[in-house]
Amino acid sequence: MKIYSTLTRKKEEFVPLKEGEVSMYVCGVTPYMDAHVGHAMSYITFDVIRRYLEYKGYRVRYIQNVTDIDDKIIDRALGQNTSTSELAGKFFSSFSEDMAALNIRPADEFPQATREIPKMIEMIQDLIDKGHAYAAKSGSVYFRVTSMPDYGKLSGRKLDDMMAGARIEIGDEKEHPMDFVMWKASKPGEPSWSSPWGPGRPGWHMECSAMALKYLGQSVDIHGGGQDLVFPHHENEIAQSECATGIKPFVRYWLHNGLLKLGDEKMSKSLGNLVTIKEALKTFSSDGIRLFVISSYYRNPLTYSLQALEASQKGAERLAKAAALENNGLLPCTIDLESFKTAFTQAMDDDFDTPGAVSVLFDLTRQINASKDAGMDIQNSQDLLKELSNVLGLTLTQRQAEPTEAKPFIELLVAVRKRLRQEKQYALADELRNGLSELGVTIEDKPEGSAWYFNKE
Ligand SMILES: [Zn+2]
């Protein structure tokens, strides 16, 4: 199996540190608002990677942090007259609901920043002792980038080039403009924790270094996140972790997903062009959304559009229908299941080529439909379709036709039809029933009255 690593910029043979086991860390959310479909893209991607590794027989330990304290949370809590912990708790449950609705399996653990402060303080002190960090007058602690000769290796930046672009601000207490904060002295009124350098809170980069090391050990097999995290976040995670432990590499394979765009722009809070996962799920099923994401190679940017999602939704329904076909064929099936399995595995072994894997599912679906028509026993092929779909996190549940908004209008038409029948206007009543039937609503006349239901497909 080959995986592209951002650090080496090439596909490498995947060899985990411990045979048969994979440690995996993915940067988690900052819960201060509802998660959007950009989050869905990232977490679906890493869910599929985790599922595939397990399918290959690896035991995967998957950690995802929760940044439950940062500037945005503090601002938002202040604006809503609530505490930071209450706000973060509320939006983390909302996030968990969204993940479950998208059939994304929860991480093995979700460590929260505010509960891991001792570990972070210990690591910061260690970096100070080793000369990699210093406490400034304000009480903030910074990482000393000049103490690490290969700083910038993940993003391919050199300190000298970064210097040229950096602005030295007056009153800046840092030794070097690229030094970054690991412990932030708190301003009056902000939530704070006590530390050897005074009251403050941990920086975001420190949070991920400390949690990865604590929960997964000194070398992590896979570290994931969006491409927007390469610099500075992941660059700084490497600096802190490798300088603290003295062990390289901190991460064996760095995986970054492409970003979700809306039109030509990145979907982001600051541009105000967010679609929340909850909104998307009102129109599309979990399988529809997942198929939209995995039909594109994870490292490429993906453009959100209703047309693309509608197409994926139809695709998801095609797969579900084939899996649910009644198997009453008696002839032996001629589908070569092994070749489908091989093609699927080959695609996924090539840096998780999910578009390739998805096309295998559709080929199999076409053959299942044809075999069913030819009177063959399709049981084993349907089982394989379900098995491979499950590796991609597709549930193959058929979407219930439940246009609930239509309900009151249908009731009204059914009531009008009843009146017509009472007045013996049978032709008009039948016209109404036939019209509704064409729209997917069946009316059944029973002695106790007329019942109606949405047609089953
Ligand atoms: Zn992180």
Coordinates of all heavy atoms in Angstrom, one line a residue, residues 376-440:
M376 N -30.2 -14.8 -12.5 CA -29.1 -15.5 -11.7 C -29.3 -15.2 -10.3 O -29.9 -14.2 -9.8 CB -27.8 -14.9 -12.2 CG -27.4 -15.3 -13.6 SD -25.8 -14.5 -14.0 CE -25.8 -14.9 -15.8
D377 N -28.6 -16.0 -9.5 CA -28.6 -15.9 -8.0 C -27.5 -14.8 -7.7 O -26.4 -15.0 -7.9 CB -28.2 -17.2 -7.4 CG -28.0 -17.2 -5.9 OD1 -28.1 -16.1 -5.3 OD2 -27.7 -18.2 -5.3
I378 N -28.0 -13.7 -7.2 CA -27.1 -12.5 -7.0 C -26.7 -12.3 -5.5 O -26.0 -11.3 -5.2 CB -27.7 -11.2 -7.5 CG1 -29.1 -11.0 -6.9 CG2 -27.8 -11.2 -9.0 CD1 -29.8 -9.7 -7.2
Q379 N -27.0 -13.3 -4.7 CA -26.7 -13.1 -3.3 C -25.3 -12.7 -2.9 O -25.0 -11.8 -2.3 CB -27.1 -14.4 -2.5 CG -27.0 -14.3 -1.0 CD -28.0 -13.3 -0.4 OE1 -29.2 -13.5 -0.7 NE2 -27.6 -12.3 0.3
N380 N -24.3 -13.5 -3.5 CA -22.9 -13.3 -3.1 C -22.4 -11.9 -3.6 O -21.6 -11.2 -3.0 CB -22.0 -14.4 -3.7 CG -22.3 -15.7 -3.0 OD1 -22.9 -15.7 -1.9 ND2 -21.9 -16.8 -3.6
S381 N -22.9 -11.5 -4.8 CA -22.5 -10.3 -5.4 C -23.1 -9.1 -4.5 O -22.4 -8.1 -4.3 CB -23.0 -10.1 -6.8 OG -23.2 -11.3 -7.4
Q382 N -24.3 -9.3 -4.1 CA -24.9 -8.3 -3.2 C -24.1 -8.2 -1.9 O -23.9 -7.1 -1.4 CB -26.4 -8.6 -3.0 CG -27.3 -8.3 -4.2 CD -28.7 -8.7 -3.8 OE1 -29.0 -9.8 -3.4 NE2 -29.6 -7.8 -4.0
D383 N -23.7 -9.3 -1.4 CA -22.9 -9.3 -0.1 C -21.6 -8.5 -0.4 O -21.2 -7.8 0.5 CB -22.7 -10.7 0.3 CG -23.9 -11.4 0.9 OD1 -24.9 -10.6 1.1 OD2 -23.9 -12.6 1.1
L384 N -21.0 -8.8 -1.5 CA -19.7 -8.1 -1.8 C -20.0 -6.6 -1.9 O -19.2 -5.8 -1.4 CB -19.1 -8.6 -3.0 CG -17.7 -8.0 -3.3 CD1 -16.7 -8.3 -2.3 CD2 -17.2 -8.4 -4.7
L385 N -21.0 -6.2 -2.6 CA -21.3 -4.8 -2.7 C -21.5 -4.1 -1.4 O -21.0 -3.0 -1.1 CB -22.6 -4.6 -3.6 CG -23.1 -3.2 -3.8 CD1 -22.1 -2.4 -4.6 CD2 -24.4 -3.1 -4.5
K386 N -22.2 -4.8 -0.5 CA -22.4 -4.3 0.9 C -21.1 -4.2 1.6 O -20.8 -3.2 2.3 CB -23.4 -5.1 1.7 CG -24.8 -5.0 1.2 CD -25.7 -5.9 2.0 CE -27.0 -6.2 1.2 NZ -27.8 -7.3 1.7
E387 N -20.3 -5.2 1.5 CA -19.0 -5.3 2.2 C -18.1 -4.1 1.8 O -17.5 -3.4 2.6 CB -18.3 -6.6 1.9 CG -17.0 -6.8 2.6 CD -16.2 -8.1 2.1 OE1 -16.9 -9.1 2.0 OE2 -15.0 -8.0 1.7
L388 N -18.0 -3.9 0.5 CA -17.1 -2.9 0.0 C -17.6 -1.5 0.2 O -16.9 -0.6 0.5 CB -16.8 -3.1 -1.5 CG -16.1 -4.4 -1.9 CD1 -15.9 -4.5 -3.4 CD2 -14.8 -4.6 -1.2
S389 N -18.9 -1.4 0.2 CA -19.6 -0.1 0.5 C -19.3 0.3 1.9 O -19.0 1.5 2.2 CB -21.1 -0.1 0.2 OG -21.3 -0.4 -1.2
N390 N -19.4 -0.7 2.8 CA -19.2 -0.4 4.2 C -17.7 0.1 4.5 O -17.5 0.9 5.3 CB -19.4 -1.7 5.0 CG -19.3 -1.5 6.5 OD1 -19.8 -0.5 7.0 ND2 -18.6 -2.4 7.1
V391 N -16.8 -0.4 3.7 CA -15.4 0.1 3.8 C -15.3 1.6 3.5 O -14.5 2.3 4.1 CB -14.4 -0.7 2.9 CG1 -13.0 -0.1 2.9 CG2 -14.4 -2.2 3.2
L392 N -16.2 2.1 2.7 CA -16.2 3.5 2.3 C -17.3 4.2 3.2 O -17.5 5.4 3.0 CB -16.6 3.7 0.9 CG -15.6 3.0 -0.1 CD1 -16.1 3.2 -1.6 CD2 -14.2 3.5 0.0
G393 N -17.8 3.5 4.2 CA -18.8 4.1 5.1 C -20.2 4.4 4.5 O -20.9 5.1 5.1
L394 N -20.4 3.7 3.4 CA -21.8 3.9 2.8 C -22.7 2.8 3.4 O -22.4 1.7 3.6 CB -21.7 3.6 1.3 CG -20.8 4.6 0.5 CD1 -20.6 4.1 -0.9 CD2 -21.4 6.0 0.5
T395 N -23.9 3.3 3.8 CA -24.8 2.4 4.6 C -25.7 1.6 3.6 O -26.3 0.6 4.0 CB -25.7 3.2 5.5 OG1 -26.5 4.2 4.7 CG2 -24.9 4.0 6.6
L396 N -25.9 2.2 2.4 CA -26.8 1.6 1.4 C -28.2 1.5 1.9 O -29.0 0.6 1.5 CB -26.3 0.2 1.0 CG -24.9 0.1 0.3 CD1 -24.7 -1.3 -0.2 CD2 -24.8 1.1 -0.8
T397 N -28.6 2.4 2.8 CA -30.0 2.4 3.2 C -30.7 3.2 2.2 O -30.2 4.3 1.8 CB -30.2 3.0 4.6 OG1 -29.3 4.1 4.7 CG2 -29.9 2.0 5.7
Q398 N -31.9 2.7 1.8 CA -32.7 3.5 0.8 C -33.4 4.7 1.5 O -33.9 4.5 2.6 CB -33.7 2.6 0.1 CG -33.0 1.9 -1.1 CD -33.9 1.0 -1.8 OE1 -34.5 0.1 -1.3 NE2 -34.1 1.3 -3.1
R399 N -33.3 5.8 0.9 CA -33.8 7.0 1.5 C -35.4 6.8 1.5 O -36.0 6.5 0.5 CB -33.5 8.2 0.7 CG -33.2 9.4 1.5 CD -32.3 10.3 0.6 NE -32.9 11.6 0.5 CZ -32.7 12.5 1.4 NH1 -32.1 12.3 2.5 NH2 -33.3 13.7 1.2
Q400 N -35.9 7.0 2.6 CA -37.4 7.0 2.7 C -37.9 8.2 1.9 O -37.4 9.3 2.1 CB -37.9 7.1 4.2 CG -37.5 5.9 5.0 CD -38.2 4.7 4.5 OE1 -39.4 4.7 4.2 NE2 -37.4 3.6 4.3
A401 N -38.9 8.0 1.1 CA -39.5 9.1 0.4 C -40.4 9.8 1.5 O -41.4 9.3 1.8 CB -40.3 8.7 -0.8
E402 N -39.9 10.9 2.0 CA -40.8 11.5 3.0 C -40.8 13.0 2.9 O -40.3 13.7 3.7 CB -40.3 11.1 4.5 CG -38.8 11.1 4.7 CD -38.5 10.7 6.1 OE1 -39.4 10.3 6.9 OE2 -37.3 10.8 6.4
P403 N -41.4 13.4 1.8 CA -41.6 14.8 1.6 C -42.6 15.3 2.5 O -43.8 15.6 2.2 CB -42.0 15.0 0.1 CG -42.5 13.6 -0.3 CD -42.0 12.6 0.7
T404 N -42.3 15.5 3.8 CA -43.3 15.7 4.9 C -44.0 17.1 4.7 O -45.1 17.3 5.1 CB -42.6 15.7 6.2 OG1 -41.4 16.5 6.2 CG2 -42.3 14.3 6.7
E405 N -43.2 18.0 4.0 CA -43.9 19.3 3.7 C -45.1 19.1 2.8 O -46.0 20.0 2.9 CB -42.9 20.3 3.0 CG -41.7 20.6 3.8 CD -40.5 19.8 3.4 OE1 -40.7 18.6 3.2 OE2 -39.4 20.3 3.4
A406 N -45.2 18.1 2.1 CA -46.3 17.9 1.1 C -47.5 17.3 1.8 O -48.6 17.4 1.3 CB -45.9 16.9 0.0
K407 N -47.3 16.8 3.1 CA -48.4 16.1 3.8 C -49.7 16.9 3.9 O -50.8 16.4 3.5 CB -47.9 15.8 5.2 CG -48.1 14.3 5.4 CD -47.5 14.0 6.8 CE -48.4 12.9 7.5 NZ -47.9 12.5 8.8
P408 N -49.7 18.2 4.4 CA -51.0 18.9 4.5 C -51.7 19.1 3.1 O -52.9 19.0 3.1 CB -50.6 20.2 5.1 CG -49.1 20.3 5.1 CD -48.6 18.9 4.9
F409 N -50.9 19.2 2.1 CA -51.5 19.4 0.7 C -52.2 18.2 0.3 O -53.3 18.2 -0.3 CB -50.5 19.9 -0.3 CG -49.8 21.2 0.2 CD1 -48.6 21.2 0.8 CD2 -50.5 22.4 0.0 CE1 -48.0 22.4 1.3 CE2 -49.9 23.6 0.5 CZ -48.7 23.6 1.1
I410 N -51.5 17.0 0.6 CA -52.1 15.8 0.1 C -53.4 15.5 0.9 O -54.4 15.1 0.3 CB -51.1 14.6 0.4 CG1 -49.9 14.8 -0.6 CG2 -51.7 13.3 0.1 CD1 -48.7 14.0 -0.2
E411 N -53.3 15.8 2.2 CA -54.5 15.6 3.1 C -55.7 16.4 2.5 O -56.8 15.9 2.4 CB -54.4 16.0 4.5 CG -53.1 15.6 5.2 CD -53.2 14.3 6.0 OE1 -53.9 13.4 5.7 OE2 -52.4 14.3 7.0
L412 N -55.4 17.6 2.1 CA -56.4 18.5 1.5 C -57.0 17.9 0.3 O -58.2 17.8 0.1 CB -55.8 19.9 1.2 CG -56.8 20.9 0.7 CD1 -57.9 21.3 1.7 CD2 -56.0 22.2 0.3
L413 N -56.1 17.4 -0.6 CA -56.6 16.8 -1.9 C -57.5 15.5 -1.6 O -58.5 15.3 -2.3 CB -55.5 16.5 -2.8 CG -54.8 17.7 -3.4 CD1 -53.5 17.3 -4.1 CD2 -55.7 18.4 -4.4
V414 N -57.0 14.8 -0.6 CA -57.8 13.5 -0.3 C -59.2 13.9 0.2 O -60.2 13.3 -0.1 CB -57.0 12.7 0.7 CG1 -57.8 11.5 1.3 CG2 -55.7 12.1 0.1
A415 N -59.2 15.0 1.0 CA -60.5 15.4 1.6 C -61.4 16.0 0.5 O -62.6 15.7 0.4 CB -60.3 16.5 2.6
V416 N -60.8 16.7 -0.5 CA -61.6 17.2 -1.6 C -62.2 16.0 -2.5 O -63.3 16.0 -2.8 CB -60.7 18.1 -2.5 CG1 -61.5 18.4 -3.8 CG2 -60.4 19.4 -1.8
R417 N -61.3 15.0 -2.6 CA -61.7 13.8 -3.4 C -62.9 13.1 -2.7 O -63.9 12.7 -3.3 CB -60.6 12.9 -3.6 CG -60.9 11.6 -4.3 CD -59.7 10.8 -4.6 NE -60.1 9.5 -5.1 CZ -60.4 8.4 -4.4 NH1 -60.2 8.5 -3.1 NH2 -60.8 7.3 -4.9
K418 N -62.9 13.1 -1.4 CA -64.0 12.5 -0.6 C -65.3 13.2 -0.9 O -66.3 12.6 -1.1 CB -63.6 12.5 0.9 CG -64.5 11.7 1.8 CD -64.1 11.8 3.2 CE -65.2 11.4 4.2 NZ -64.9 11.8 5.5
R419 N -65.2 14.5 -0.8 CA -66.4 15.3 -1.1 C -66.9 15.1 -2.5 O -68.1 14.9 -2.7 CB -66.1 16.9 -1.0 CG -66.0 17.4 0.4 CD -67.4 17.6 1.0 NE -68.2 18.5 0.3 CZ -68.1 19.8 0.4 NH1 -67.2 20.3 1.3 NH2 -68.9 20.6 -0.3
L420 N -66.0 15.0 -3.5 CA -66.4 14.7 -4.9 C -67.1 13.4 -5.0 O -68.2 13.3 -5.7 CB -65.2 14.7 -5.8 CG -64.5 16.1 -6.1 CD1 -63.2 15.9 -6.8 CD2 -65.5 17.0 -6.9
R421 N -66.6 12.4 -4.3 CA -67.3 11.1 -4.3 C -68.6 11.1 -3.6 O -69.6 10.5 -4.1 CB -66.4 10.0 -3.6 CG -65.3 9.6 -4.6 CD -64.2 8.8 -3.8 NE -64.7 7.7 -3.1 CZ -64.8 6.5 -3.6 NH1 -64.3 6.2 -4.8 NH2 -65.2 5.5 -2.9
Q422 N -68.7 11.9 -2.6 CA -70.0 12.0 -1.9 C -71.0 12.7 -2.8 O -72.2 12.3 -2.8 CB -69.9 12.9 -0.6 CG -69.3 12.1 0.6 CD -68.8 13.0 1.7 OE1 -68.8 14.2 1.5 NE2 -68.4 12.4 2.8
E423 N -70.5 13.5 -3.7 CA -71.4 14.2 -4.6 C -71.5 13.5 -5.9 O -71.9 14.1 -6.9 CB -71.0 15.7 -4.8 CG -71.2 16.4 -3.5 CD -70.7 17.9 -3.5 OE1 -70.5 18.4 -4.6 OE2 -70.4 18.4 -2.4
K424 N -71.0 12.3 -5.9 CA -71.0 11.4 -7.1 C -70.3 11.9 -8.3 O -70.7 11.6 -9.4 CB -72.5 11.0 -7.4 CG -73.2 10.4 -6.2 CD -74.3 9.4 -6.6 CE -75.2 9.0 -5.5 NZ -74.5 8.5 -4.3
Q425 N -69.3 12.7 -8.1 CA -68.5 13.2 -9.2 C -67.3 12.3 -9.4 O -66.2 12.7 -9.2 CB -68.0 14.7 -8.9 CG -69.2 15.6 -8.7 CD -68.9 17.0 -9.3 OE1 -68.3 17.1 -10.4 NE2 -69.3 18.0 -8.6
Y426 N -67.7 11.0 -9.8 CA -66.6 10.0 -9.8 C -65.5 10.3 -10.8 O -64.3 10.0 -10.5 CB -67.3 8.6 -10.0 CG -68.2 8.2 -8.9 CD1 -69.6 8.0 -9.1 CD2 -67.7 8.0 -7.6 CE1 -70.4 7.7 -8.0 CE2 -68.5 7.7 -6.5 CZ -69.8 7.5 -6.8 OH -70.7 7.2 -5.7
A427 N -65.9 10.8 -11.9 CA -64.8 11.1 -12.9 C -63.7 12.0 -12.4 O -62.5 11.7 -12.5 CB -65.4 11.7 -14.2
L428 N -64.2 13.1 -11.8 CA -63.2 14.1 -11.2 C -62.4 13.4 -10.1 O -61.2 13.6 -9.9 CB -64.0 15.3 -10.6 CG -64.0 16.5 -11.5 CD1 -64.8 17.6 -10.8 CD2 -62.6 17.0 -11.9
A429 N -63.1 12.6 -9.2 CA -62.5 12.0 -8.1 C -61.4 11.0 -8.6 O -60.3 11.0 -8.1 CB -63.5 11.2 -7.3
D430 N -61.7 10.3 -9.7 CA -60.7 9.4 -10.2 C -59.5 10.1 -10.8 O -58.4 9.7 -10.7 CB -61.3 8.5 -11.3 CG -62.2 7.4 -10.7 OD1 -62.1 7.3 -9.4 OD2 -62.9 6.7 -11.4
E431 N -59.8 11.2 -11.4 CA -58.8 12.1 -12.0 C -57.8 12.5 -11.0 O -56.6 12.5 -11.1 CB -59.4 13.3 -12.7 CG -58.5 13.9 -13.8 CD -59.2 15.1 -14.4 OE1 -60.4 15.0 -14.8 OE2 -58.5 16.2 -14.5
L432 N -58.3 12.9 -9.8 CA -57.5 13.3 -8.7 C -56.6 12.2 -8.2 O -55.4 12.3 -7.9 CB -58.4 13.8 -7.6 CG -57.9 14.9 -6.6 CD1 -57.3 16.0 -7.4 CD2 -59.1 15.4 -5.8
R433 N -57.3 11.0 -8.1 CA -56.5 9.8 -7.6 C -55.4 9.5 -8.5 O -54.2 9.2 -8.1 CB -57.4 8.6 -7.4 CG -56.7 7.5 -6.7 CD -57.5 6.3 -6.5 NE -58.0 5.8 -7.8 CZ -58.9 4.8 -7.8 NH1 -59.4 4.3 -6.8 NH2 -59.4 4.4 -9.0
N434 N -55.7 9.5 -9.9 CA -54.7 9.1 -10.8 C -53.5 10.1 -10.9 O -52.4 9.8 -11.0 CB -55.3 9.0 -12.2 CG -56.3 7.8 -12.3 OD1 -56.2 6.9 -11.4 ND2 -57.2 7.9 -13.3
G435 N -53.9 11.4 -10.7 CA -52.9 12.4 -10.7 C -52.0 12.3 -9.6 O -50.8 12.4 -9.7
L436 N -52.6 12.0 -8.4 CA -51.7 11.8 -7.2 C -50.8 10.6 -7.3 O -49.7 10.6 -6.9 CB -52.6 11.7 -5.9 CG -53.1 13.0 -5.4 CD1 -54.2 12.7 -4.3 CD2 -52.0 13.8 -4.7
S437 N -51.4 9.6 -8.0 CA -50.6 8.3 -8.1 C -49.4 8.6 -9.0 O -48.3 8.1 -8.7 CB -51.5 7.3 -8.8 OG -50.7 6.2 -9.2
E438 N -49.6 9.4 -10.0 CA -48.4 9.8 -10.9 C -47.3 10.6 -10.1 O -46.2 10.5 -10.4 CB -48.9 10.6 -12.1 CG -49.3 9.7 -13.2 CD -49.9 10.5 -14.4 OE1 -49.7 11.7 -14.5 OE2 -50.8 9.9 -15.1
L439 N -47.8 11.3 -9.1 CA -46.9 12.1 -8.3 C -46.3 11.3 -7.1 O -45.6 11.8 -6.3 CB -47.6 13.3 -7.7 CG -48.0 14.4 -8.7 CD1 -48.9 15.4 -8.1 CD2 -46.8 15.0 -9.4
G440 N -46.7 10.0 -7.1 CA -46.0 9.1 -6.1 C -46.9 8.9 -4.8 O -46.4 8.4 -3.8

